[in-house]
């Protein structure tokens, strides 16, 4: 079964470029700008990995915790910019890896392939 990735990022250009790169490697991709309206999608579809922009967690970690409660085996790959250092520290126990933007497409692909389907572990 092919890898399936959910991309949550408010930047449309990032969503599009990531989806294009992953689809070239037969990875199924669904993109959304944020957590809004995500519940019915998560109830009907299974994803191996969540590629999540740290900016979406600046207001708190509750949306991520809710997603992980519903899908505990889904690996979370956080994408962050330099101003997201606090979010990165807060999520270290919830994410498989953190990638700092700008991200080289091959680095992103390798991370998705490495972590898809892994159960998240604490990154001490």
């Amino acid at each position: 079964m092919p890898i399936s990735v959910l991309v949550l990022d408010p930047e449309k250009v990032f969503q599009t470029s990531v989806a294009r790169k992953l689809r070239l490697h037969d990875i199924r991709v669904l993109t959304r700008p944020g957590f809004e309206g995500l519940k019915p999608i998560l109830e009907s579809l299974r994803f191996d990995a969540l590629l999540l922009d740290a900016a979406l967690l600046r207001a708190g970690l509750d949306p991520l915790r809710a997603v992980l409660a519903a899908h505990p085996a889904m690996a979370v790959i956080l994408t962050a910019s330099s101003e997201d250092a606090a979010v990165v520290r807060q999520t270290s126990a919830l994410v498989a890896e953190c990638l700092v933007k700008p991200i080289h497409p091959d680095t992103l692909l390798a991370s998705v392939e490495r972590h898809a389907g892994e159960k998240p572990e604490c990154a001490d």
Side-chain angles (χ1 to χ4, degrees):
M1 180 178 282
I3 294 172
S4 181
V5 176
L6 175 61
V7 177
L8 297 182
D9 195 292
E11 299 173 24
K12 186 67 174 170
V13 172
F14 184 80
Q15 288 179 30
T16 303
S17 64
V18 165
R20 185 175 326 146
K21 175 66 176 182
L22 296 177
R23 287 178 180 136
L24 285 173
H25 293 272
D26 297 322
I27 295 173
R28 292 184 299 165
V29 181
L30 179 66
T31 62
R32 291 289 182 265
F35 288 101
E36 298 79 29
L38 198 56
K39 187 176 179 179
I41 293 168
L42 292 172
E43 289 172 350
S44 62
L45 299 172
R46 185 190 67 77
F47 297 95
D48 298 301
L50 169 62
L51 189 61
L52 175 62
D53 188 284
L56 296 172
L57 299 174
R58 288 181 187 152
L61 301 183
D62 289 343
L64 175 58
R65 287 188 178 117
V67 168
L68 289 174
H71 296 276
M74 183 169 53
V76 178
I77 301 165
L78 193 68
T79 60
S81 59
S82 58
E83 64 261 14
D84 292 318
V87 172
V88 171
R89 282 191 303 277
Q90 293 172 342
T91 61
S92 66
L94 302 173
V95 303
E97 186 171 5
C98 180
L99 303 174
V100 179
K101 290 180 175 181
I103 305 165
H104 189 278
D106 291 337
T107 301
L108 178 69
L109 176 63
S111 180
V112 167
E113 289 177 336
R114 182 172 48 255
H115 295 293
E118 281 187 359
K119 186 171 178 76
E121 295 180 19
C122 183
D124 289 324

